Amino acid sequence: QVQVVESGGGLVQAGESLRLSCTASTFDFRSYAMAWFRQAPGKEREGVSCISKSGDITYYADSVKGRFTISRDHAKNTLYLQMTNLKSEDTAMYFCAARVFGCSTSWSSGYYDYWGQGTQVTVSS
């Protein structure tokens, strides 16, 4: 059974930082592009960042460019999202997703194959 498990969420104040992790098991992590999505209450799920299978190409939503950094560690089968200078509008449930065909720059969540259960990030102002 495929497992994708996020961790690292929490409650922080505006301007602070958090690092999210996503550990994958039972599928070939290196063969999948990995992405972070988020969903705030009452809003649609939106793409945040994606990293290619090899890790050499990254994509970011305009709202997080310059503040968030995505990375992956193949030895640990783990995806990361370093978030700095957090804002109240970053408050959301953050999800990790995997896609065998590479990053979808349309940010369509329907194109992704595997999903985690999410980790909550709350930023107080």
Side-chain angles (χ1 to χ4, degrees), residues 36-40 44-48 63-64 67-68 89-95:
W36 289 99
F37 285 76
R38 67 186 181 187
Q39 187 167 18
E44 292 188 354
R45 189 169 296 189
E46 63 173 356
V48 174
S63 58
V64 306
R67 300 188 299 121
F68 290 11
E89 51 263 43
D90 294 318
T91 295
M93 184 72 78
Y94 282 71
F95 299 90

Side-chain angles (χ1 to χ4, degrees), residues 30 32-33 50-58 70-72 74:
R30 296 171 183 263
Y32 285 75
C50 189
I51 187 167
S52 64
K53 299 175 187 182
S54 62
D56 59 347
I57 301 174
T58 56
I70 192 171
S71 62
R72 63 191 298 166
H74 289 158

